[in-house]
Amino acid sequence: MKNFEQSELLKHLPKQFFASLVNKVANVMAKGHDVINLGQGNPDQPTPPHIVKALQEAAEDPRNHKYSPFRGHSFLKKAVAAFYEREYGVKVNPEKEVAILFGGKAGLVEIPQCLLNPGDTVLVPDPGYPDYWSGVELARAKMEIMPLRAENQFLPNYEELSEEVKQEAKLMFLNYPNNPTGATATSAFFEETVELAKKHDICVVHDFAYGAIGFNGQKPISFLQTDGAKDIGIEIYTFSKTYNMAGWRVGFAVGNESVIEAINLLQDHLYVSIFGAIQAAAATALLEPQDCVDELVGLYEARRDVLIDGLRRIGWDVQAPAGSFFAWLPVPDGYSSEQFADFLLEEAKVVVAPGIGFGEYGEGYVRVGLLTDEDRLREAVARIGKLNLFSEK
């Protein structure tokens, strides 16, 4: 059988760092060990019943058995506009300022191909979601990293960027609440971002995947709530986290009309839109009462408190995340992030994600997901405590 060579484009795609972690976990589990997997980002709760019911009913409608409109159903785009006005006080033109996406990841990977030419510069947070890198490489663009450091609350410091980089940059990715650090953004930071973007003609893409998940009574703010944000950028939202619809693959982009048109134009050539019944269920999620979201946030906050309190009791000096369903934990002295993750897997049968997998500035940390029940989190803490890595308090 002939072995056809891959294109140069595919050869240059970033290596999937976490594929090796998955293999390591599988090998340990194959030996019969009870593994507590805190390294993944896959929601563990089911989709709320009223959303599932809406899908079931819509799936029986023969109109949804045909191709959906290329750019999505108007009823879903109107639901997005209603959602943004209700939740954030932001008015959106449903036909010109909303693009329906095949999940948030699709939009994030597509956007560099929509706006950039080979060699153009993209500002990317580090640590950050690795699929930003994939989109940049597919566009043959180049990255300039924006370090996220604890001393700056894991917000980029724009003063660290040279004037040359600011002049060259055409696109910027941001993500708050943040994966992997769990940090949230402030209004002042978003105002500074808009000012920078306007001055240097940079399109801002705010990844709002964890937009519903804020703790201590603090609701995360939308980038589009900032004056002038819609002039220079978009926000990408997914149903995966807010409504436990990760497997449904549906999301949307909201904001600058020219960017939305570029996304729609690219998708015209890639897809024929999402199954109409999924769009109907997505509209139900946005328009119906949000009690299920409030309950989910409460669940994650309770899990966060169990984890953080437990880790502090065994002497691990950790900070509680302000949002998302991740905790970002410093690695003990003497370990790299990958060495420490391997150690916890081998000795405690607890899986965490090494920070280096999220970029150079992720080194020194591991990411832990709040995606298992409180008893399993307590068990994970107890197992780590038995390793005597810290001085108990």
Side-chain angles (χ1 to χ4, degrees):
M1 182 182 295
K2 181 173 176 59
N3 185 20
F4 291 96
E5 187 175 356
Q6 293 181 348
S7 68
E8 290 301 311
L9 182 64
L10 289 185
K11 289 178 183 177
H12 284 88
L13 286 175
K15 293 286 187 288
Q16 280 288 357
F17 179 88
F18 294 104
S20 63
L21 177 63
V22 170
N23 289 334
K24 290 176 184 177
V25 174
N27 289 336
V28 173
M29 293 180 68
K31 296 175 182 176
H33 294 292
D34 174 32
V35 173
I36 302 176
N37 193 343
L38 306 181
Q40 61 187 4
N42 201 354
D44 66 308
Q45 296 297 295
T47 305
H50 69 286
I51 301 173
V52 175
K53 183 178 180 182
L55 171 70
Q56 293 169 334
E57 293 176 352
E60 293 178 350
D61 187 339
R63 290 174 296 181
N64 287 322
H65 302 169
K66 302 177 183 294
Y67 290 126
S68 300
F70 269 77
R71 299 189 173 191
H73 281 292
S74 291
F75 66 73
L76 179 53
K77 290 183 279 189
K78 289 176 181 177
V80 169
F83 174 81
Y84 257 75
E85 186 164 7
R86 184 190 73 224
E87 296 294 324
Y88 305 111
V90 174
K91 291 187 180 297
V92 173
N93 182 323
E95 292 304 323
K96 295 184 177 182
E97 296 178 335
V98 178
I100 304 303
L101 304 173
F102 288 69
K105 172 180 173 174
L108 294 165
V109 173
E110 288 168 359
I111 195 70
Q113 299 169 76
C114 294
L115 301 181
L116 303 179
N117 296 309
D120 285 346
T121 297
V122 187
L123 300 174
V124 179
D126 184 340
Y129 181 48
D131 283 311
Y132 302 149
W133 315 337
S134 304
V136 174
E137 189 58 49
L138 286 169
R140 301 290 180 94
K142 62 180 182 180
M143 290 195 301
E144 289 286 345
I145 65 171
M146 300 184 295
L148 307 185
R149 298 186 177 92
E151 56 265 31
N152 200 43
Q153 291 72 55
F154 297 108
L155 300 170
N157 180 358
Y158 296 137
E159 293 182 2
E160 291 184 353
L161 300 174
S162 69
E163 280 304 311
E164 180 182 7
V165 166
K166 291 175 185 176
Q167 292 290 348
E168 291 178 350
K170 292 190 175 181
L171 188 66
M172 175 195 295
F173 284 106
L174 293 174
N175 166 221
Y176 294 97
N178 184 257
N179 173 18
T181 71
T184 53
T186 62
S187 296
F189 169 72
F190 279 155
E191 289 165 5
E192 182 185 6
T193 301
V194 169
E195 182 180 354
L196 175 78
K198 284 188 174 181
K199 181 178 180 181
H200 296 286
D201 293 324
I202 301 170
C203 176
V204 178
V205 178
H206 183 231
D207 175 3
F208 205 30
Y210 304 90
I213 307 172
F215 302 133
N216 304 323
Q218 299 298 309
K219 181 176 180 175
I221 58 177
S222 162
F223 176 63
L224 297 186
Q225 289 176 284
T226 312
D227 287 344
K230 209 191 293 184
D231 295 335
I232 50 82
I234 64 168
E235 192 155 71
I236 290 182
Y237 201 99
T238 173
F239 291 77
S240 298
K241 281 74 178 180
T242 305
Y243 302 105
N244 293 316
M245 295 170 66
W248 298 51
R249 308 316 305 141
V250 59
F252 54 86
V254 182
N256 182 276
E257 183 177 329
S258 66
V259 180
I260 296 301
E261 173 58 28
I263 294 171
N264 278 326
L265 180 58
L266 177 64
Q267 292 194 153
D268 284 347
H269 293 269
L270 294 176
Y271 313 115
V272 190
S273 195
I274 296 167
F275 180 35
I278 288 180
Q279 295 188 55
T284 295
L286 295 174
L287 296 175
E288 291 294 312
Q290 303 294 293
D291 297 356
C292 60
V293 180
D294 296 337
E295 292 169 5
L296 184 66
V297 173
L299 176 77
Y300 287 142
E301 184 160 2
R303 290 177 177 181
R304 178 201 68 160
D305 293 344
V306 164
L307 176 70
I308 297 299
D309 291 349
L311 294 176
R312 286 172 176 168
R313 279 197 299 275
I314 65 171
W316 196 347
D317 185 12
V318 297
Q319 299 299 312
S324 82
F325 49 49
F326 297 117
W328 191 234
L329 311 178
V331 169
D333 292 340
Y335 295 90
S336 71
S337 62
E338 191 167 11
Q339 287 170 341
F340 185 60
D342 287 345
F343 180 71
L344 289 185
L345 176 59
E346 290 299 326
E347 300 300 325
K349 306 301 182 285
V350 172
V351 183
V352 297
I356 191 64
F358 302 95
E360 174 187 352
Y361 286 85
E363 184 53 77
Y365 292 87
V366 291
R367 191 192 74 178
V368 171
L370 305 173
L371 301 173
T372 190
D373 63 48
E374 293 180 23
D375 287 342
R376 291 292 272 175
L377 290 172
R378 291 188 185 96
E379 173 66 19
V381 170
R383 293 183 188 184
I384 295 170
K386 290 177 182 177
L387 301 177
N388 296 317
L389 293 164
F390 316 97
S391 300
E392 291 199 26
K393 295 182 180 179

